[in-house]
Amino acid sequence: MIVALIVAAGRGERLGAGGPKALVELAGRPLLQWSIDLLSGVEGMDRIVIALPPGARAPAGVVAVDGGAVRSDSVRRALQAAGPGNPGDAVLVHDAARPLLTAELVQRVLATLAGDDSLTAAIAATPVTDTVKRVQAGIVTETLERSELWAVQTPQVFRRAALERALDVPEEVLAQATDDAWLVERTGGRVAVVAAGAENVKVTTPLDLELAELLLRRREGP
């Protein structure tokens, strides 16, 4: 049994959308719809819950909930709205801002978690290719070892009980989380990375939107 939680509560200020980012049109569909359509076809998918900005209209065929003030609060609200489930059920969390999600990546992340009982979560990520430096007050203080660094993406898949426990924290802790895997890590969870393709881009700026449109239209064909 799989529950998918789609985080779509962003207001899109950096995109300059003038409204919820998830509802911006992308290659003929609302940006959010690309993730819904893909996840709806996943074998074993029980339901899809979407965290939207308050007042936003929910797409047909999904459960919708008002998003929270921060990302992980939206995830917590969406998980609560999903209804009861078994502790070992898989919960997939995905950002609507990544519309180029593929069924192949979803299946690999799910299979990684299912194939190792010692894992708490499996997350999509890609190795960092740029040199990364730690900077304080404009001055480099350290150059990090690139071979050990991964840029984290979604989807992220969790065992339900572990995610519920990780999200059961004060608001100030949720506000620190830039991804839900960090919350699981701080409870001692074991998280595996699954290499994602370079096309699993995140739409944040107008340039990202143009790139996503180009890639989606190329994927869809004439």
Side-chain angles (χ1 to χ4, degrees), residues 2 39-45 107 110:
I2 307 166
L39 291 171
S40 295
V42 171
E43 183 178 355
M45 185 63 65
Q107 293 297 344
L110 287 168

Side-chain angles (χ1 to χ4, degrees), residues 51-169:
L52 289 166
R57 185 175 179 179
V62 299
V63 177
V65 63
D66 286 349
V70 296
R71 184 189 184 284
S72 288
D73 186 25
S74 294
V75 173
R76 181 168 63 181
R77 292 180 181 212
L79 184 56
Q80 291 169 346
N86 296 319
D89 285 349
V91 178
L92 183 149
V93 180
H94 185 60
D95 291 334
R98 293 190 186 274
L100 284 108
L101 179 65
T102 65
E104 186 268 343
L105 178 57
V106 170
Q107 293 297 344
R108 284 198 291 116
V109 176
L110 287 168
T112 298
L113 182 64
D116 187 341
D117 290 340
S118 73
L119 293 177
T120 310
I123 63 175
T126 188
V128 170
T129 56
D130 294 329
T131 297
V132 179
K133 297 181 182 290
R134 191 185 307 278
V135 177
Q136 295 180 353
I139 302 299
V140 172
T141 61
E142 182 184 6
T143 298
L144 304 181
E145 176 51 56
R146 184 173 62 187
S147 65
E148 300 176 352
L149 301 177
W150 289 66
V152 173
Q153 305 177 356
T154 62
Q156 301 186 353
V157 181
F158 306 88
R159 302 196 192 279
R160 180 166 183 146
L163 182 59
E164 289 175 337
R165 183 170 60 252
L167 291 168
D168 187 19
V169 292

